[in-house]
Amino acid sequence: MIIAVDGPTASGKGTISKRLAKHFGLPFLDTGLLYRAVGWTVHQRGGNADNSADALAACAFDDDLLDNPELRSEAVGGLASRVSVHPEVRQALDKRQKDFAGQPGGAVLDGRDIGTVIAPDADAKLFVTASSNARAVRRFEEMKRRGEQVDFDDILTDILRRDDRDQNRAAAPLKPAADADLLDTTNLTIDAAIQQAIALVNAKTSGRRDKDPA
Ligand code: DC
């Protein structure tokens, strides 16, 4: 069973996807991490994330990099969004994601184009959203908890800029697949969002993989 989860930054899709993977006993791939690894590598090499040749050269990163906590920073998220615009970069990361989705037994993948490009035949597709304000508040709280210096307006501006770039790029823009279920987490606790996500997947798959039916 393949579960595709897409949505904008700080929508809750990462947490929801991990919990879906645990619940249904499936392996999980955070595809944003691949783009983050490319963005980080370009930066380390002194390259330009907006230059397609620099970004493509960075696609041959060492897999150990995926464990580097620096990839999770806001700055690297911005670099990832910039390198992800290049069709050459998307193509270079395509097979790895499709192979992961196609493994025996299936998988959960989260990203921006999973339901539309990477796994268009997924058994269940969720598009997780939340208002930009709610997403900025979450990011703000998360960064404050980590002891980082943060300004709410800067975070909101950054989120809006990333949304705009991810939604309006020509190659595989962020958008719900025609057959995706929308899950708006603006007014949901994380536990409520997870329960709704499980229910949506079960509705699409007739509960055939539910290890813990409610
Ligand atoms: O999910 P994330 O914040 O880690 O993703 C970082 C950036 O990577 C995101 O702004 C756009 C890009 N991305 C993408 O284009 N396609 C994906 N499947 C996943 C991420």
Side-chain angles (χ1 to χ4, degrees):
M1 174 168 86
I2 301 175
I3 304 176
V5 184
D6 291 300
T9 191
S11 58
K13 70 180 163 41
T15 307
I16 290 172
S17 302
K18 272 183 229 129
R19 290 287 293 273
L20 283 173
K22 188 158 177 250
H23 182 89
F24 291 103
L26 293 167
F28 166 61
L29 180 65
D30 169 1
T31 66
L33 212 47
L34 306 178
Y35 291 92
R36 284 171 181 263
V38 176
W40 186 89
T41 302
V42 172
H43 188 66
Q44 287 295 113
R45 291 179 181 169
N48 177 0
D50 302 320
N51 177 289
S52 60
D54 285 1
L56 180 61
C59 288
F61 57 80
D62 187 334
D63 270 13
D64 289 347
L65 174 58
L66 297 173
D67 297 322
N68 186 336
E70 280 179 32
L71 294 194
R72 312 270 175 189
S73 74
E74 285 308 293
V76 176
L79 289 164
S81 175
R82 286 164 60 195
V83 297
S84 74
V85 164
H86 307 299
E88 300 86 343
V89 168
R90 308 201 70 81
Q91 183 58 38
L93 300 179
D94 183 270
K95 183 175 183 313
R96 180 184 189 136
Q97 297 173 78
K98 286 182 176 160
D99 285 350
F100 193 91
Q103 64 189 291
V108 179
L109 291 88
D110 94 39
R112 301 291 187 289
D113 63 341
I114 308 303
T116 51
V117 175
I118 299 298
D121 298 327
D123 301 86
K125 298 180 185 178
L126 301 183
F127 193 86
V128 183
T129 58
S131 71
S132 47
N133 200 63
R135 290 186 285 129
V137 169
R138 286 175 196 165
R139 190 51 46 88
F140 179 77
E141 298 295 342
E142 191 184 302
M143 291 171 79
K144 252 191 2 197
R145 268 199 302 278
R146 290 201 300 247
E148 293 175 35
Q149 288 276 359
V150 280
D151 178 80
F152 181 81
D153 290 336
D154 287 349
I155 293 175
L156 182 59
T157 304
D158 190 54
I159 282 182
L160 293 173
R161 192 183 306 130
R162 272 178 66 186
D163 283 357
D164 180 56
R165 195 186 296 118
D166 293 351
Q167 285 163 359
N168 294 312
R169 66 183 179 218
L174 169 67
K175 64 171 183 199
D179 52 350
D181 287 308
L182 297 188
L183 177 53
D184 186 333
T185 65
T186 306
N187 297 310
L188 295 178
T189 62
I190 191 63
D191 280 339
I194 289 163
Q195 289 316 312
Q196 286 202 19
I198 291 170
L200 288 168
V201 171
N202 278 332
K204 277 280 157 70
T205 61
S206 316
R208 64 178 184 265
R209 281 290 296 260
D210 198 335
K211 297 199 306 183
D212 182 21

